[in-house]
Amino acid sequence: MAGKYVPTDPKNARLEQIAAELSESGDYRVLRRLDVRKLCLENDGTPVRRGVFLDVETTGLDLESDEIIELAMVPFDYTEDGRIFDVGEALHQLNEPSSPVTAKITALTGITNEDLAGKSLNLLEIDSLIDQSVVIVAHNAEFDRPFVEKISTKFSKMPWACTLRDIAWHDEGFNGRRLSDLLAHYSYFFDAHRATDDCLAGIGLLTMKLPASNEAVLAKLLGAARRTSYRIFAVSAAFEKKDTLKERGYRWNTDLKFGPKSWYTEVSEVNFDQEIQWLQSFVLPAHAKPVTLKLTARERYSKFGPNLGSGLIASR
């Protein structure tokens, strides 16, 4: 799917020849530094839409108490069939939190308290870029989306897609889902753990083709994001059923903004009836019904979006 980069500089051409010889030997695997703009295809006049790849670094994992310290949003122009023609200028901002970042966070991200001193997020710039876009993509949107929804309500109104969860990477032959592992499969590496670098790496991943289905990653992602899914809460499940639910992939929810305090899972529309039947046959008491919430790309991965922040739970 990605355009093949052909070096014109003699030194780079020589290095590419060496890399090709090493790869063809079968004894070496060569990783190239990712340059996403070299992977964009030439614009052939096909109408494009604008997407944004987003990544945040935070003071920790707790949505209630932790804060964003770095935000990056990188726009890209794409076609309906999943081709990327252009990558725009990154919007990159730092934000000084209410408490100093810990040494652990600095070690993970490379961001120091000195870097953040006096910095704040510019919501006008952030909202402007959202207004120019039709979809927001993140690698683990379940983490990023709730954090950015705290700073701007515009994020709650946008369709979202997730490169971590919206593609069945295992079915495509991948062993891991980390961004670095996925790109390594395509023989690329990048400098991870800074927000802009992660965004550019994510867009680079979108330019690739999936090995099993032979579909463009972006096309597959958008197709998955457009499908309706359901979040199913196993309310009334007895305590002794917890291991059965965990084995099936259910997770425990305690956030009432997200849904009832219970075990829950998310399934596609085609698997909805089967999952309800399984719950009623093997988990729930007689005549008990699970609570369900219909999700589209506008609600998925949110804790504050329509029908979620209000605490309303839809049932099918």
Side-chain angles (χ1 to χ4, degrees), residues 25 76 83 89 103 139 161 178 188 215 249 254 274 280 304-305:
S25 73
F76 60 95
R83 291 174 291 156
E89 182 179 353
H139 195 72
R178 291 191 309 173
Y188 288 105
E215 292 185 65
T254 59
Q274 180 182 358
Q280 293 178 327
F304 307 102

Side-chain angles (χ1 to χ4, degrees), residues 252-264:
W252 179 253
N253 174 56
T254 59
D255 188 347
L256 295 180
K257 294 178 182 177
F258 187 76
K261 187 177 181 180
S262 63
W263 292 95
Y264 77 95

Side-chain angles (χ1 to χ4, degrees), residues 63-302:
L63 180 62
E64 297 300 324
S65 60
D66 287 310
E67 303 169 65
I68 294 173
I69 56 175
E70 183 181 37
L71 177 144
M73 299 170 67
V74 180
F76 60 95
D77 293 337
Y78 70 93
T79 64
E80 279 293 300
D81 59 357
R83 291 174 291 156
I84 295 179
F85 287 159
D86 188 41
V87 177
E89 182 179 353
L91 174 65
H92 174 259
Q93 297 182 4
L94 296 174
N95 182 59
E96 183 178 15
S98 54
S99 300
V101 297
T102 63
K104 180 180 179 180
I105 295 299
T106 295
L108 178 65
T109 65
I111 301 172
T112 67
N113 288 297
E114 290 73 23
D115 295 329
L116 301 173
K119 304 293 177 59
S120 61
L121 299 175
N122 186 324
L123 294 183
L124 289 177
E125 293 181 352
I126 294 170
D127 286 349
S128 176
L129 187 49
I130 296 173
D131 289 339
Q132 300 170 38
S133 309
V134 298
V135 65
I136 299 176
V137 185
H139 195 72
N140 196 8
E142 190 174 54
F143 175 81
D144 294 282
R145 179 170 183 171
F147 269 101
V148 295
E149 285 180 328
K150 290 173 62 177
I151 64 171
S152 174
T153 58
K154 285 183 178 290
F155 284 113
S156 297
K157 301 172 183 178
M158 290 292 294
W160 282 70
C162 179
T163 48
L164 179 72
R165 300 182 185 278
D166 287 344
I167 293 177
W169 293 108
H170 185 269
D171 294 345
E172 294 288 342
F174 294 81
N175 292 322
R177 297 187 300 170
R178 291 191 309 173
L179 196 51
S180 56
D181 293 337
L182 296 172
L183 280 170
H185 174 89
Y186 296 101
S187 299
Y188 288 105
F189 74 94
F190 68 102
D191 298 322
H193 296 307
R194 289 305 300 261
T196 300
D197 292 329
D198 286 356
C199 288
L200 292 171
I203 297 172
L205 181 63
L206 296 179
T207 70
M208 304 298 168
K209 268 194 175 181
L210 293 164
S213 62
N214 201 36
E215 292 185 65
V217 172
L218 178 55
K220 189 84 166 182
L221 178 76
L222 294 174
R226 293 182 184 117
R227 288 194 289 269
T228 299
S229 62
Y230 287 85
R231 191 173 297 153
I232 301 175
F233 297 88
V235 293
S236 304
F239 175 79
E240 56 267 22
K241 296 293 185 178
K242 65 181 180 65
D243 290 337
T244 301
L245 289 162
K246 287 173 67 176
E247 288 176 5
R248 197 170 174 89
Y250 279 68
R251 291 182 283 177
W252 179 253
N253 174 56
T254 59
D255 188 347
L256 295 180
K257 294 178 182 177
F258 187 76
K261 187 177 181 180
S262 63
W263 292 95
Y264 77 95
T265 191
E266 186 174 325
V267 299
S268 64
E269 189 169 26
V270 296
N271 294 325
F272 177 85
D273 291 335
Q274 180 182 358
E275 193 65 26
I276 296 297
Q277 183 179 3
W278 178 83
L279 277 174
Q280 293 178 327
S281 299
F282 301 106
V283 174
L284 299 181
H287 308 298
K289 294 184 178 181
V291 172
T292 64
L293 175 63
K294 184 178 180 179
L295 299 174
T296 69
R298 293 186 183 276
E299 297 90 25
R300 198 172 293 117
Y301 306 119
S302 175

